[in-house]
Amino acid sequence: MRVSQFFLSTLKEAPTEAELVSHKLMLRAGLIKRLGSGLYSWMPLGLKVLRKVENIVREEMDRAGAIELLMPAVIPAELWQETGRWDVFGPQMLKIRDRHEREFCFGPTHEEVITDVARREIKSYRQLPINFYQIQTKFRDEIRPRFGVMRAREFVMKDSYSFHADRASLEQTYEVMYQTYSRIFTRLGLKFRAVAADTGAIGGSGSHEFHVLADSGEDAIAFCPSSDYAANVELAEAVSPSAPRPAPTQPMQKISTPGKHSIEQVCEYLKVPAEKTVKTLLVEGRDGGVVALLLRGDHELNEVKAGKLLQLPEAVRFASDAQILAAAGCRAGSLGPVGLNIPIIADRSVAVMSDFVCGANEDGYHLTGVNFVRDLPELKEVVDIRNAVEGDPSPDGKGILELCRGIEVGHIFQLGNKYSSAMNATFLDESGKDRVMEMGCYGIGVSRIVAAAIEQNHDARGIIWPPSIAPYELAIVPIGMGRSELVKDTVNKLYADLKAAGIEVLLDDRDERPGVMFADMELVGIPHRIVVGERGLKEGNLEYQGRRDEKAQAIALNSVLEFVQ
Ligand code: ATP
Ligand code: MG
Ligand code: MG
Ligand code: MG
């Protein structure tokens, strides 16, 4: 591509609203343009990167035997009413009406739609297992859209859903998806870690998240460097990643011995005023365990009757608008099925919503016996993660835990029959009996990956794309193309030869000042750069510089390919 025939629109300065490096660089490099809060246009250069990510994801999903389809972005309310999620999904769901006053939403996730496809199309065990996927636009009305495409409202997700005759088959596909995700993130050239996000009744590996490791990540990950133990400690979305973490306010201690405790007592421990608006909420998690949340909330929350046992979907509606001050009895992901986010804002104590809690039970640093609502045996622990994690023994007993931060780019989950039973997705088994299908779901944040890749790969001059997703592999920067026939002819021939060799070349034929062209090519992160100038050419040389190299080097005219591969 010749720059003169392309659309490059770089900026010297990032707009002030951008906080994160990736957001700044994406705006400066002209990859995206903001249309409104959480809404971005993918400009031509950005789209090239997005498509590369998509293609890697698609190739690996195909390789794993998943089958691509495409579902509507707009989904009728009726489907969501069948599973009960219409009323309880919460404010992240954008609801719309058509001219006949029929209700729809703009899909934040597609379990209902795919389950509808499955119940209509799959009749027999012979059709199972099957794994469908799509790469599609989602809309979530995020409470705080920010960091550009990192947490947008409209974004691109790869979501897949598998259907099975039994649990063993689900576990098998889950394992295949785990391996597939690992391949995808490896091919994308990213440093990542898979972390346990859920155990519970579902089983040992009920859910995993894949995180790109970056200090700016919104999630905290506890991992053990001497084993493969890693878990998301699911800290708050609401905690600004750039803000310094508050120092531990007090050492770990038992709040109490087992028994009943009033809200006032718990509030006193947490040093939060026991206002009238502080309520407890009992939630039945997906794994059947009961979770108690202590919430400080707004109007919606006031409708909650303290101590009432809610089903998870109902609870989310309240929880998503409230501050969760503490939680007990949580297991990983008990509260966070696909599509739901529960911000946890804790002044003094942070609830841990991962299997980390359960896994860490024996280490003696968590608070036992918190049973502040009822005498429910499930309500046992609250962990102050800020005090408890770093340096503590790993739950697998194989070392010491460390903390790092990550960006959630993928999430896989064994759903079981949650959706299939609610929507009656059944099949005939070998003995002719009607049985409910088992289901798994697997998401990848395709557009978020672009930002995450930059977050991990940049320097003061701009983006440094991992080669597999760079918009162009090589930039040719001619010096004095308008003045020198030699430069012009060489550049045109080089451009044609490299293209013929299958290299994606960006030829900066703008005849700008060299400094301007260099800065732009570095900003947009092209992995390889060739400078063609008359002086070098007279000695038969070009100048080569890899994007991570300190200096340029003279190379022979015919040796460019060696440097690119
Ligand atoms: P998060 O915890 O960041 O809010 P999530 O757990 O709500 O994400 P999932 O429901 O697991 O997200 O969706 C699958 C993937 O979609 C996530 O792993 C993430 O990479 C991506 N994703 C989710 N929300 C957004 C968003 N607002 N903008 C961009 N990508 C997103
Ligand atoms: Mg979310
Ligand atoms: Mg999440
Ligand atoms: Mg998730």
Side-chain angles (χ1 to χ4, degrees):
M1 179 60 71
R2 288 169 190 270
V3 172
S4 64
Q5 282 155 40
F6 192 56
F7 186 83
L8 207 60
S9 79
T10 55
L11 300 170
K12 281 226 167 55
E13 305 281 336
T16 47
E17 85 263 9
E19 296 170 57
L20 224 55
V21 172
S22 58
H23 188 194
K24 287 183 183 148
L25 288 175
M26 286 186 81
L27 291 170
R28 282 190 55 208
L31 306 182
I32 53 169
K33 299 278 173 192
R34 183 178 183 276
L35 177 68
S37 169
L39 300 173
Y40 290 87
S41 297
W42 284 88
M43 299 306 283
L45 195 67
L47 187 63
K48 284 199 66 103
V49 180
L50 187 70
R51 293 280 185 251
K52 291 212 164 173
V53 175
E54 262 181 45
N55 285 341
I56 289 176
V57 170
R58 181 175 281 116
E59 277 174 27
E60 293 301 329
M61 290 303 291
D62 290 346
R63 183 204 297 269
I67 307 168
E68 187 167 7
L69 47 56
L70 185 59
M71 294 178 272
V74 173
I75 310 174
E78 290 76 32
L79 276 185
W80 296 86
Q81 281 153 355
E82 282 189 56
T83 59
R85 288 213 288 182
W86 182 256
D87 292 324
V88 299
F89 197 94
Q92 279 203 12
M93 185 190 271
L94 179 65
K95 295 178 174 176
I96 44 189
R97 273 173 205 276
D98 71 5
R99 63 174 76 199
H100 307 293
E101 293 293 307
R102 288 193 203 105
E103 286 192 294
F104 297 82
C105 72
F106 198 106
T109 177
H110 277 71
E111 284 80 7
E112 279 80 356
V113 183
I114 196 72
T115 306
D116 184 61
V117 170
R119 72 178 165 186
R120 290 168 193 273
E121 302 301 324
I122 295 170
K123 306 283 177 224
S124 153
Y125 71 94
R126 288 195 194 86
Q127 294 165 281
L128 298 174
I130 193 154
N131 191 356
F132 293 114
Y133 78 97
Q134 63 174 350
I135 297 177
Q136 191 236 24
T137 301
K138 300 277 186 272
F139 191 96
R140 293 182 185 179
D141 201 353
E142 298 278 357
I143 188 163
R144 284 178 68 200
R146 56 190 173 152
F147 312 144
V149 297
M150 188 79 90
R151 184 169 298 285
R153 296 200 293 172
E154 190 178 302
F155 60 97
V156 180
M157 196 200 287
K158 185 286 296 177
D159 46 329
S160 45
Y161 307 89
S162 65
F163 295 87
H164 308 269
D166 55 37
R167 193 89 222 172
S169 165
L170 166 58
E171 280 165 16
Q172 210 174 11
T173 297
Y174 184 85
E175 177 60 26
V176 170
M177 282 295 106
Y178 185 101
Q179 300 303 341
T180 300
Y181 275 38
S182 302
R183 284 182 66 97
I184 289 171
F185 295 115
T186 304
R187 276 188 66 185
L188 290 168
L190 300 172
K191 288 189 272 303
F192 69 97
R193 196 184 287 273
V195 310
D198 184 71
T199 54
I202 281 169
S205 56
S207 176
H208 285 88
E209 291 170 355
F210 288 77
H211 286 261
V212 163
L213 303 178
D215 289 340
S216 59
E218 291 183 274
D219 289 46
I221 296 165
F223 68 99
C224 176
S226 43
S227 69
D228 57 6
Y229 179 85
N232 181 6
V233 296
E234 204 55 89
L235 280 176
E237 226 193 287
V239 174
S240 164
S242 49
R245 307 277 298 285
T249 45
Q250 61 184 80
M252 282 311 284
Q253 56 173 263
K254 281 192 174 178
I255 326 183
S256 63
T257 48
K260 256 190 184 168
H261 296 276
S262 65
I263 295 176
E264 286 72 26
Q265 284 171 295
V266 178
C267 286
E268 193 190 306
Y269 168 73
L270 296 172
K271 303 275 187 293
V272 296
E275 312 148 27
K276 281 206 199 72
T277 51
V278 174
K279 299 273 161 103
T280 52
L281 192 60
L282 286 180
V283 181
E284 191 175 335
R286 274 175 307 183
D287 53 17
V290 175
V291 175
L293 299 177
L294 185 63
L295 303 160
R296 177 167 55 188
D298 55 13
H299 54 284
E300 284 215 69
L301 195 67
N302 294 332
E303 299 162 21
V304 182
K305 295 218 169 55
K308 190 181 156 200
L309 182 62
L310 298 178
Q311 294 302 301
L312 174 61
E314 295 172 70
V316 168
R317 188 167 124 233
F318 302 110
S320 59
D321 273 348
Q323 294 181 346
I324 300 177
L325 300 173
C330 296
R331 299 196 203 222
S334 302
L335 295 167
V338 171
L340 308 176
N341 260 301
I342 302 191
I344 304 167
I345 307 171
D347 300 323
R348 303 185 54 86
S349 175
V350 177
V352 181
M353 307 233 172
S354 76
D355 69 318
F356 178 73
V357 181
C358 306
N361 279 353
E362 282 137 39
D363 297 328
Y365 49 70
H366 50 282
L367 308 169
T368 51
V370 180
N371 189 349
F372 51 77
V373 187
R374 276 191 199 170
D375 265 326
L376 288 168
E378 292 87 346
L379 303 183
K380 285 204 192 88
E381 301 98 21
V382 170
V383 173
D384 186 329
I385 201 77
R386 293 192 309 250
N387 294 336
V389 173
E390 190 97 40
D392 272 317
S394 169
D396 63 6
K398 292 184 183 162
I400 297 293
L401 286 180
E402 287 181 19
L403 267 188
C404 68
R405 301 202 70 89
I407 300 166
E408 183 191 324
V409 288
H411 196 168
I412 59 178
F413 203 88
Q414 296 182 25
L415 290 172
N417 56 23
K418 179 178 155 117
Y419 297 92
S420 42
S421 66
M423 295 181 64
N424 205 23
T426 60
F427 67 100
L428 290 178
D429 71 8
E430 280 177 73
S431 57
K433 244 184 45 212
D434 226 13
R435 278 173 43 199
V436 174
M437 295 175 216
E438 293 283 326
M439 242 179 112
C441 74
Y442 320 92
I444 286 187
V446 172
S447 46
R448 177 179 286 183
I449 284 172
V450 178
I454 298 174
E455 214 48 54
Q456 209 175 58
N457 299 282
H458 64 266
D459 63 12
R461 291 171 295 165
I463 301 167
I464 309 175
W465 289 114
S468 62
I469 57 172
Y472 293 94
E473 291 172 270
L474 178 139
I476 302 177
V477 181
I479 310 288
M481 191 156 157
R483 298 188 304 271
S484 162
E485 286 298 312
L486 178 61
V487 170
K488 193 169 157 190
D489 293 347
T490 310
V491 158
N492 285 334
K493 177 160 189 319
L494 192 61
Y495 177 63
D497 289 351
L498 288 170
K499 272 182 54 168
I503 310 285
E504 290 176 288
V505 189
L506 188 62
L507 167 56
D508 198 343
D509 59 348
R510 292 177 294 176
D511 215 10
E512 277 275 4
R513 283 185 295 116
V516 171
M517 295 191 283
F518 291 165
D520 273 352
M521 294 304 115
E522 285 174 339
L523 172 62
V524 305
I526 313 295
H528 307 280
R529 186 184 75 194
I530 298 288
V531 180
V532 184
E534 203 167 62
R535 206 171 344 137
L537 283 180
K538 287 191 172 143
E539 289 158 25
N541 286 336
L542 304 170
E543 199 185 74
Y544 169 83
Q545 187 168 1
R547 181 63 182 79
R548 286 187 192 274
D549 297 349
E550 301 248 305
K551 290 201 302 253
Q553 54 178 308
I555 64 166
L557 233 160
N558 58 5
S559 66
V560 175
L561 279 180
E562 290 162 35
F563 287 84
V564 179
Q565 267 128 27

